[in-house]
Amino acid sequence: MKIKAILFDSGRVLNHPRTGNWFIPPNFNNIVNVKNIKISNYILILKAIKKASKYLDEQKIVLTEEEEFKHFLQFYKIIAEEPIGINLTEQQIFEIAKDTVYNDRKFLFPNEVFQIIPKLSENYKLGIVSDTWPSLERVFRNAGLRRYFSSFVMSSKLGVNKPNKLMFTTALEELKIKPEEAIFIDDNEKNVEGAKVLGIEGILMSKQMYSRANENIFSIRNLNEIEAILKDA
């Protein structure tokens, strides 16, 4: 059956954290007033982030950027209480949370995204199915990319949740297509497998040409390889 739509995960498929970590915003160093943070401090910060992430996992539905900011404010308060070697004031915690939620520069979009997404939208319906937070849609809108996606389905929690069946079926309904008429691209193999269970062709974004665990999952190394796959679909 002919492919009519392409569903994308967002993180590490269409964009990346500018700092290399989703929870360290672009202005972090400036806000904490430390010109050169020691590697040892970053290691401690990463450990604190892992601990604080449990708080995010426990939260219920998060629908607005205001709610997102509220949760990240508590998130960084938890981090500040950990022995990270940096003393953070309440104002600094506030500014870090604000930078995390409201700074569009927190995400880096490769140049190829701005070239390929508009081109693909000419022949295919495009959708986002991603485990992320509400501010992502604003970032896409301000980057000039939101208009190319006819469906934008995000998980309603801040924790690390893989896209579930409801998210996929919602996207399919909004695009008015059958599962076999879509492909889903993600950097997480389990998410790709989950899409395949529903009848959606899954493609793994990976440096490996084929999945080491599942030979039935095809991989692409970058977005430039999508068109070649679609020609054979």
Side-chain angles (χ1 to χ4, degrees):
M1 185 173 288
K2 182 180 179 181
I3 297 298
K4 297 181 179 179
I6 307 172
L7 305 178
F8 295 88
D9 176 38
S10 178
R12 302 194 186 281
V13 175
L14 297 179
N15 58 58
H16 306 270
R18 187 173 292 274
T19 63
N21 188 289
W22 300 113
F23 302 113
I24 299 179
N27 293 315
F28 182 85
N29 284 24
N30 293 332
I31 293 171
V32 301
N33 297 321
V34 178
K35 292 183 179 180
N36 295 305
I37 297 178
K38 298 179 181 179
I39 294 179
S40 59
N41 289 129
Y42 269 121
I43 293 175
L44 293 173
I45 290 171
L46 292 177
K47 289 182 178 179
I49 286 174
K50 185 176 182 180
K51 180 177 181 178
S53 294
K54 294 180 180 179
Y55 161 77
L56 297 182
D57 290 339
E58 295 171 352
Q59 302 314 303
K60 296 181 180 180
I61 297 175
V62 179
L63 298 175
T64 68
E65 292 182 20
E66 290 75 15
E67 292 176 347
E68 178 183 338
F69 174 75
K70 176 183 176 182
H71 288 303
F72 270 114
L73 192 61
Q74 181 60 32
F75 174 80
Y76 289 110
K77 285 182 179 180
I78 295 173
I79 290 176
E81 293 172 353
E82 293 297 305
I84 60 176
I86 302 173
N87 294 320
L88 298 177
T89 66
E90 289 189 8
Q91 183 60 36
Q92 287 173 323
I93 293 171
F94 179 90
E95 293 298 332
I96 293 171
K98 181 180 177 181
D99 201 43
T100 296
V101 177
Y102 295 107
N103 188 346
D104 288 352
R105 294 186 68 256
K106 62 185 176 180
F107 297 146
L108 177 64
F109 292 90
N111 289 333
E112 65 188 52
V113 172
F114 296 98
Q115 299 169 356
I116 294 175
I117 292 302
K119 187 176 181 181
L120 289 175
S121 69
E122 295 176 359
N123 299 305
Y124 301 94
K125 295 180 179 180
L126 305 183
I128 294 291
V129 177
S130 187
D131 50 335
T132 185
W133 37 88
S135 61
L136 178 72
E137 190 166 8
R138 185 203 68 238
V139 175
F140 266 72
R141 185 172 59 252
N142 292 340
L145 292 168
R146 178 62 180 87
R147 65 180 181 270
Y148 298 110
F149 295 89
S150 301
S151 178
F152 211 96
V153 182
M154 300 178 290
S155 65
S156 59
K157 294 187 65 175
L158 288 173
V160 183
N161 302 310
K162 63 182 180 179
N164 55 45
K165 180 178 179 180
L166 179 59
M167 293 173 69
F168 284 118
T169 55
T170 299
L172 295 175
E173 290 174 0
E174 290 181 350
L175 297 176
K176 295 181 174 57
I177 57 171
K178 300 176 182 179
E180 58 269 26
E181 296 176 323
I183 62 174
F184 173 63
I185 303 173
D186 198 323
D187 67 317
N188 187 306
E189 191 165 316
K190 290 184 178 180
N191 296 345
V192 172
E193 292 174 344
K196 291 178 72 69
V197 169
L198 297 175
I200 302 170
E201 183 58 52
I203 298 176
L204 181 68
M205 177 76 81
S206 171
K207 293 182 179 180
Q208 301 293 329
M209 279 302 295
Y210 294 93
S211 165
R212 294 179 178 179
N214 190 336
E215 295 181 355
N216 294 321
I217 294 180
F218 187 73
S219 299
I220 58 174
R221 289 165 293 190
N222 55 65
L223 293 179
N224 292 314
E225 298 179 358
I226 293 177
E227 290 184 289
I229 293 176
L230 292 171
K231 288 181 181 179
D232 297 330

